[in-house]
């Protein structure tokens, strides 16, 4: 899927392991009439597989979207805490939990909360550099674990024209080939290093073609989700 806002170019794809996916991505456009800007985005991975995971994904999607918009004036880490508390309450005794990235955009400024998820990959156009966005030392845990408290913290990024943020689930880096080798972070980074001058759509296609060539005939063991956000 490819979409454009006035300030962001986005390419995204989710390849489910089976008919129902536990991965989820979402985008939150501005609600101001006449504006075509992006307020936020998220990529999430709900534990488990199959129908039960799919139902929990729908519950989570609704909670996250509502709390994102309602929490527009508070720090994003507080919004994620509200999402956590509400998700624990509404799912009841079900064990599923969520790892994920939720981010808020305001121009080139991004506020990001990583709740136990894969590290985003950041490309800086001016320096042509790639690096992983590390979580803060204070952060630990995921969303929806009632047995012990999680701590969420915000990370601030400044994005300029041509910069990219790549969000993905563990199905990308953990998928294995016939020799039981994982695709890994180095191969992921290498794809984006080679495709730095490509459009977001071309980068997305190259990544999935590279994954297919790597895995060969091996059956997938997890959903594979990738989102590329490029600042216009």
């Amino acid at each position: 899927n490819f979409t454009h806002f006035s300030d962001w170019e986005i390419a995204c794809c989710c390849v489910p392991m089976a008919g129902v996916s536990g991965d989820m991505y979402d985008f939150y456009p501005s609600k101001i009439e006449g504006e075509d800007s992006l307020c936020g985005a998220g990529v999430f991975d709900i534990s488990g597989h199959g129908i039960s995971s799919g139902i929990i994904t729908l519950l989570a999607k609704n909670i996250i979207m509502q709390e994102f918009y309602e929490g527009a004036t508070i720090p994003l880490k507080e919004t994620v805490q509200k999402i956590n508390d509400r998700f624990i309450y509404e799912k009841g005794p079900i064990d599923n939990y969520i790892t994920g990235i939720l981010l808020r955009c305001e121009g080139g400024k991004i506020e990001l909360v990583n709740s136990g998820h894969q590290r985003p990959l950041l490309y800086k156009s001016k320096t042509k550099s790639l690096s992983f966005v590390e979580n803060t030392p204070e952060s630990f845990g995921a969303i929806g674990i009632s047995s012990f408290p999680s701590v969420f913290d915000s990370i601030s990024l400044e994005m300029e024209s041509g910069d990219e943020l790549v969000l993905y689930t563990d199905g990308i880096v953990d998928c294995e080939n016939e020799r039981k080798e994982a695709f890994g972070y180095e191969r992921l980074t290498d794809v984006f290093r080679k495709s730095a001058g490509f459009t977001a759509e071309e980068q997305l296609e190259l990544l999935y073609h590279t994954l297919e060539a790597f895995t060969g005939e091996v059956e997938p063991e997890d959903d594979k989700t990738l989102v590329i956000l490029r600042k216009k």
Side-chain angles (χ1 to χ4, degrees):
N1 294 323
F2 314 120
T3 186
H4 291 264
F5 290 88
S6 61
D7 46 355
W8 293 90
E9 174 191 351
I10 298 172
C12 49
C13 182
C14 175
V15 179
M17 180 188 72
V20 179
S21 175
D23 283 2
M24 177 186 79
Y25 61 78
D26 210 355
F27 306 108
Y28 312 111
S30 171
K31 289 196 168 184
I32 299 173
E33 189 174 349
E35 278 198 8
D36 183 31
S37 58
L38 182 69
C39 286
V43 170
F44 305 93
D45 186 357
I46 287 77
S47 64
H49 299 288
I51 298 296
S52 61
S53 180
I55 293 170
I56 292 296
T57 301
L58 293 175
L59 172 65
K61 181 182 177 74
N62 184 53
I63 292 172
I64 293 166
M65 180 181 65
Q66 288 182 1
E67 294 298 337
F68 178 84
Y69 282 115
E70 289 180 10
T73 60
I74 63 174
L76 193 61
K77 63 183 181 181
E78 294 181 18
T79 295
V80 176
Q81 185 63 58
K82 287 177 178 289
I83 291 168
N84 177 68
D85 296 344
R86 185 173 161 192
F87 182 65
I88 289 172
Y89 175 77
E90 292 195 19
K91 74 183 176 75
I94 298 172
D95 291 334
N96 298 77
Y97 62 90
I98 307 169
T99 68
I101 303 283
L102 183 64
L103 60 89
R104 177 187 288 155
C105 313
E106 187 177 343
K109 295 179 179 178
I110 286 184
E111 183 183 5
L112 180 151
V113 175
N114 182 341
S115 53
H117 199 69
Q118 303 294 318
R119 300 168 298 167
L121 182 61
L122 176 66
Y123 172 73
K124 300 297 288 184
S125 179
K126 275 188 179 179
T127 57
K128 301 196 181 328
S129 61
L130 280 161
S131 61
F132 288 100
V133 179
E134 302 292 342
N135 214 355
T136 67
E138 292 77 18
S139 303
F140 67 87
I143 295 170
I145 302 176
S146 57
S147 55
F148 67 90
S150 298
V151 176
F152 309 108
D153 200 12
S154 294
I155 300 167
S156 297
L157 301 173
E158 190 72 40
M159 304 285 286
E160 299 177 333
S161 179
D163 291 353
E164 292 183 354
L165 195 62
V166 181
L167 311 177
Y168 55 96
T169 57
D170 56 3
I172 297 281
V173 290
D174 290 347
C175 70
E176 296 182 342
N177 61 15
E178 294 171 350
R179 296 186 297 276
K180 295 293 184 181
E181 297 170 331
F183 187 73
Y185 299 100
E186 188 173 335
R187 289 185 179 90
L188 175 69
T189 306
D190 191 49
V191 168
F192 285 94
R193 184 176 293 112
K194 290 177 178 176
S195 62
F198 294 12
T199 65
E201 291 93 334
E202 290 169 337
Q203 288 179 321
L204 185 82
E205 290 169 1
L206 177 61
L207 186 280
Y208 278 96
H209 287 158
T210 304
L211 276 172
E212 288 175 10
F214 175 79
T215 56
E217 300 299 318
V218 176
E219 289 294 320
E221 295 185 356
D222 203 355
D223 309 315
K224 299 180 181 69
T225 298
L226 186 87
V227 173
I228 303 168
L229 298 122
R230 172 178 285 174
K231 186 76 176 73
K232 288 185 177 179

